[in-house]
Amino acid sequence: MTTKRATSENDPAVIPTSPARRVPGRIEGWVSATGTNRLRSIGLGTRFSLAATILLLAALGIAVAIIDWRSAIIAQQTIRGDLDRAAPIFRSYLSDLEMRLADQVHSLAGEPGTKAIFDPSVNVSTRHEFALDSVQVLAGAKTVFLFGPDAASLARSDRAEGEGVGQQFGGVAWVSEPLRTWHESTAVILEGNVLSVVAATPVVSGAGEMAHLDGVLAASFALEKRQAAALQGLTRGDIAFLVNRARRGSSPEVAVSVATGLLEAQDFARTFASVDGAVEGVFENAESFGPFEVTHAGDRLIGMAVPIQSAAGEPYGAFVVARSMAQELAAFRQIRRTLFVVGGLAILVAAPVSFLLGRRLARPLQQLAIGAGRIREGELEFPLPERAGGEIGALARAFRGMVTELKEKRALERMLVPLGRASTTNAATQVPLSEHAGRPVFQQDATVANRYRVRSVLGAGAMGTVFLADDLELEEEVALKVLSSHALGPGTSSMQSVKIEIRTARKISHPNVVRVHDLGEAQGVYFLTMEYVPGMTLRDVIEKRGALALGPGLQIAKQLCRGLAAVHDAGIIHRDIKPQNIMVLPNGTVKLMDFGIAKSERIADPLLREGALVGTPSYMSPEQVRCEPLDARSDLYAVGAVMFEMFTGSPPFSGTPRDVLDAHLHQDPPAPASLRPDLPDTLDRLIVGSMSKRPDRRPASAQDLYAALLRIHLAE
């Protein structure tokens, strides 16, 4: 039952008692209640101007505070995020550098002249000259080494002729590995205070079974400013290569080999050593260290250190990348300065402008406030601002549009209520209660399952008859659908399937779906109880109105898609989308109903196993006609057929049921625009696409179809 609040002039709740206490919410009552003289001593324009100025000042202060706070957080997060990638970037760069240098050395090792220099008959002087010349040949090389097949030194460019010849390097991994595997080897070595990448390649003479190892050619390439600059670009930070100058077994003695940017200033090695745990972590434990914060050259830095190890795993040095907080915050500080300037100018301009605007706003706002009070009282006839411009004009136009909508909605409700009653009355009087289409039904006023009292027949379909009944326990109206005995029976697989579907359907709670309550049995007849929706079916609307206007038709289609999306989200395929199963309520709400032949996507359909054809021919998808397994796109085909009929006044195919089913299988529907030229092209294509014979060419889901409908703009 619905209780209506009285709104007449005799209602004591709304009787005006004095000019100072008229209907709450009206401006004149509010002004009188708070003191007219006191409020009007400062005009609305002045109050508006002061409020705007205070708000601007507060907003400016809050904005600056938030910018300072957030900029510091963002800067730290950005730097730390970039530093987390520093180690992989360095290792990737070093690996690429080693590969390129190995290719250079390998190319030189393959030349006949190089192979000849390893002949035992070649003297020390010639080999030394070859080493010196190779430094020029290998671009960027620092030192060239020659080793015999026994790992003994033959020559090196950084020593005098004959110095170190015969010295054994068998314990050095980058020398022994090429001799053992006949493959290139690379490593990082320390040459004085300089970190270098050394590439060693075997020198092999002959081919196939005649091939023999002559020795090893190696060259070192210092990590210099050029490499540091390249890494600076990759990491967006300043770079330093640190080395350990201490003798093996002694405490680390850190020195800068190469540095860029801020790390060149002062002695960064000393700054790094001052960070607790930095030297021990990198040079003793060979572990990455950071992110760490340190002050260097008067700037706050956030850095990361990555150990650089020899082939044997000994930490020779460290790759350090650091970012300046001052540089990172520079852009934010520029924004803050700009904000101060713009905010100050805005305040200077806003004060007089807001005063003028306040004066212009006063009367239109008062009219709108009075109008809001009238709407609350149920009145829709009152004056509105006519010549207001700017935002107030837009507000007035929006307000006027809202009032127009309310008037149209009221008129629509008045039109639909008698039509809905007539439809219900006709259904009850024209269909005998004792029998419908050869099916036994409950008698009028009969009590079903000791709970439901039958009032009238609402309609019937292939799967059963629908009654209007009273739920005696909850004291509300429900729709009671008696399921056809030819489709369902006790203990059959169909009955078990329906029980599962009802359990799932009961979970659907959506404003555009008729709620299914329960499944029951009485006198050997199975029935469903559902939410009773007093209104007209879309079939009634189309029969009475013909092709619908674009706006109402789109609104119905959108609400149908929203409801269908909720059904599909619950894992249910409706299988019987048609105008008869779509209710249009007097308030304009659209509800999808009748889950009599709905099925779960996750459960095999017994009707398909039995070869039964389920659905309504005019709206069945090709796969439904072929009794194939269905998914949500089958329902979207039916939605396309319903939209076709809504906007053209007739279904896409006509003829006998057999002709219609055959057309769904083999014929393309006519373009709706050919029957209704004013239909937008996008809507025409959407309807045709929804009715594609191939499911993969239809919209993927009801939500996608709804989104496509939202993008359709009607021509003004």
Side-chain angles (χ1 to χ4, degrees):
M1 297 179 63
T2 303
T3 302
K4 295 185 178 179
R5 175 181 172 86
T7 57
S8 68
E9 295 180 358
N10 296 325
D11 187 346
V14 296
I15 294 178
T17 57
S18 69
R21 300 184 61 81
R22 293 187 64 186
V23 179
R26 292 190 179 182
I27 283 186
E28 58 265 37
W30 174 71
V31 171
S32 179
T34 53
T36 304
N37 294 332
R38 187 165 61 253
L39 284 174
R40 290 183 177 176
S41 61
I42 300 178
L44 180 60
T46 303
R47 280 181 281 146
F48 187 84
S49 177
L50 288 174
T53 303
I54 292 172
L55 285 175
L56 280 173
L57 285 171
L60 181 61
I62 292 173
V64 170
I66 291 176
I67 286 177
D68 286 343
W69 170 62
R70 285 296 299 165
S71 61
I73 294 176
I74 292 172
Q76 287 197 32
Q77 290 176 342
T78 301
I79 291 175
R80 289 176 181 270
D82 289 345
L83 292 179
D84 286 341
R85 297 187 291 271
I89 289 174
F90 172 68
R91 295 190 181 101
S92 176
Y93 176 83
L94 186 61
S95 176
D96 180 70
L97 178 63
E98 289 175 342
M99 185 181 301
R100 288 188 282 109
L101 298 179
D103 287 343
Q104 289 188 52
V105 177
H106 178 77
S107 177
L108 179 61
E111 295 181 2
T114 303
K115 296 178 181 180
I117 208 68
F118 284 86
D119 189 280
S121 63
V122 177
N123 58 39
V124 172
S125 177
T126 302
R127 287 172 177 161
H128 187 260
E129 289 180 4
F130 174 83
L132 294 175
D133 292 340
S134 296
V135 171
Q136 306 300 321
V137 174
L138 296 171
K142 178 177 176 60
T143 307
V144 172
F145 305 86
L146 302 179
F147 301 98
D150 58 351
S153 174
L154 300 179
R156 52 189 297 175
S157 62
D158 63 335
R159 301 283 177 88
E161 180 181 321
E163 185 179 350
V165 173
Q167 183 179 353
Q168 280 294 323
F169 282 77
V172 178
W174 53 271
V175 177
S176 61
E177 184 175 348
L179 293 174
R180 179 173 52 84
T181 64
W182 290 30
H183 290 292
E184 291 85 358
S185 175
T186 59
V188 177
I189 63 174
L190 183 61
E191 296 182 292
N193 287 339
V194 177
L195 289 169
S196 299
V197 175
V198 62
T201 185
V203 179
V204 179
S205 298
E209 296 181 355
M210 301 298 294
H212 60 89
L213 182 65
D214 295 331
V216 172
L217 173 66
S220 67
F221 301 82
L223 293 175
E224 299 173 327
K225 199 85 168 183
R226 179 164 53 90
Q227 287 80 18
L231 286 166
Q232 185 179 26
L234 292 173
T235 60
R236 299 173 54 208
D238 292 329
I239 303 299
F241 286 117
L242 303 181
V243 296
N244 181 11
R245 297 186 301 185
R247 294 181 177 275
R248 185 173 298 175
S250 302
S251 298
E253 183 182 343
V254 182
V256 175
S257 174
V258 177
T260 65
L262 289 172
L263 306 190
E264 291 181 291
Q266 301 179 9
D267 185 359
F268 179 71
R270 181 179 300 173
T271 301
F272 180 78
S274 68
V275 179
D276 187 30
V279 173
E280 292 81 359
V282 176
F283 290 96
E284 293 184 2
N285 301 328
E287 296 175 347
S288 294
F289 183 83
F292 61 86
E293 294 190 22
V294 68
T295 300
H296 179 71
D299 203 342
R300 180 186 172 196
L301 304 179
I302 301 178
M304 171 69 76
V306 180
I308 301 176
Q309 299 169 266
S310 67
E314 181 181 356
Y316 281 155
F319 163 74
V320 180
V321 55
R323 297 271 290 274
S324 164
M325 281 291 292
Q327 293 178 2
E328 196 72 24
L329 291 171
F332 293 106
R333 289 171 178 164
Q334 182 62 39
I335 293 174
R336 184 178 62 180
R337 286 192 292 269
T338 303
L339 185 62
F340 270 123
V341 174
V342 173
L345 293 176
I347 292 172
L348 291 176
V349 174
V353 172
S354 60
F355 175 77
L356 296 176
L357 286 177
R359 296 184 61 183
R360 293 185 61 185
L361 289 174
R363 181 168 178 75
L365 285 176
Q366 185 180 29
Q367 287 181 301
L368 293 175
I370 293 173
R374 296 284 178 84
I375 291 176
R376 186 183 60 187
E377 297 171 10
E379 301 177 22
L380 297 180
E381 298 295 338
F382 48 83
L384 286 170
E386 295 292 340
R387 298 181 179 180
E391 288 77 5
I392 292 298
L395 178 60
R397 290 190 292 273
F399 204 91
R400 189 177 294 108
M402 180 186 68
V403 172
T404 301
E405 289 293 328
L406 289 173
K407 291 179 180 178
E408 293 175 352
K409 187 173 184 292
R410 177 178 289 180
L412 177 62
E413 291 171 353
R414 289 173 178 171
M415 179 190 71
L416 289 178
V417 167
L419 291 177
R421 288 174 180 170
S423 299
T424 303
T425 302
N426 290 339
T429 57
Q430 293 177 5
V431 182
L433 283 170
S434 59
E435 184 176 286
H436 181 80
R439 303 180 184 88
V441 295
F442 296 115
Q443 299 295 322
Q444 186 172 7
D445 293 329
T447 301
V448 180
N450 296 321
R451 177 171 178 175
Y452 306 101
R453 178 176 293 126
V454 175
R455 288 170 51 183
S456 63
V457 174
L458 296 176
M463 296 302 294
T465 305
V466 183
F467 297 88
L468 173 62
D470 291 322
D471 186 333
L472 300 179
E473 289 188 14
L474 298 180
E475 298 183 356
E476 64 180 13
E477 295 176 323
V478 297
L480 188 146
K481 180 172 183 176
V482 178
L483 301 177
S484 301
S485 59
H486 73 276
L488 302 173
T492 64
S493 58
S494 297
M495 191 68 248
Q496 297 303 319
S497 177
V498 166
K499 289 180 180 179
I500 295 173
E501 308 313 331
I502 296 306
R503 292 194 202 104
T504 307
R506 287 176 61 183
K507 300 177 183 177
I508 302 174
S509 180
H510 192 276
N512 297 120
V513 179
V514 172
R515 185 73 184 270
V516 177
H517 296 318
D518 205 353
L519 172 69
E521 185 269 337
Q523 303 174 16
V525 177
Y526 286 91
F527 62 87
L528 299 175
T529 55
M530 300 172 288
E531 171 190 5
Y532 171 61
V533 181
M536 302 175 64
T537 67
L538 181 57
R539 167 61 58 220
D540 296 330
V541 175
I542 294 175
E543 288 180 353
K544 295 177 184 297
R545 296 292 179 183
L548 303 187
L550 296 179
L554 282 174
Q555 184 61 28
I556 292 173
K558 291 172 187 175
Q559 293 193 49
L560 173 60
C561 287
R562 290 200 296 266
L564 190 59
V567 172
H568 290 168
D569 287 344
I572 295 177
I573 309 301
H574 190 280
R575 298 201 299 181
D576 201 18
I577 304 292
K578 58 184 178 181
Q580 295 92 318
N581 287 340
I582 301 169
M583 293 296 298
V584 182
L585 279 63
N587 64 1
T589 301
V590 175
K591 285 183 177 284
L592 177 63
M593 64 177 184
D594 198 345
F595 290 84
I597 62 172
K599 67 168 289 290
S600 172
E601 289 183 294
R602 299 179 290 273
I603 301 172
D605 186 8
L607 295 178
L608 290 182
R609 292 199 300 267
E610 298 163 8
L613 187 65
V614 293
T616 303
S618 293
Y619 312 96
M620 292 171 65
S621 66
E623 57 269 28
Q624 192 171 0
V625 175
R626 291 190 292 266
C627 297
E628 297 175 349
L630 306 179
D631 61 16
R633 294 171 296 183
S634 177
D635 284 344
L636 299 186
Y637 182 96
V639 173
V642 170
M643 289 195 295
F644 187 103
E645 186 170 355
M646 274 200 307
F647 291 113
T648 65
S650 60
F653 303 115
S654 59
T656 66
R658 182 178 296 276
D659 293 338
V660 172
L661 294 176
D662 185 70
H664 281 301
L665 290 174
H666 305 296
Q667 295 182 24
D668 291 328
S674 66
L675 304 177
R676 182 172 176 176
D678 67 328
L679 210 64
D681 290 340
T682 49
L683 179 56
D684 180 74
R685 291 194 298 270
L686 184 59
I687 294 174
V688 173
S690 299
M691 294 189 64
S692 173
K693 305 299 180 191
R694 291 177 50 179
D696 59 351
R697 292 185 177 178
R698 303 171 200 160
S701 66
Q703 192 63 40
D704 288 346
L705 180 55
Y706 172 70
L709 288 168
L710 287 178
R711 291 193 291 268
I712 296 175
H713 300 284
L714 302 179
E716 294 292 339

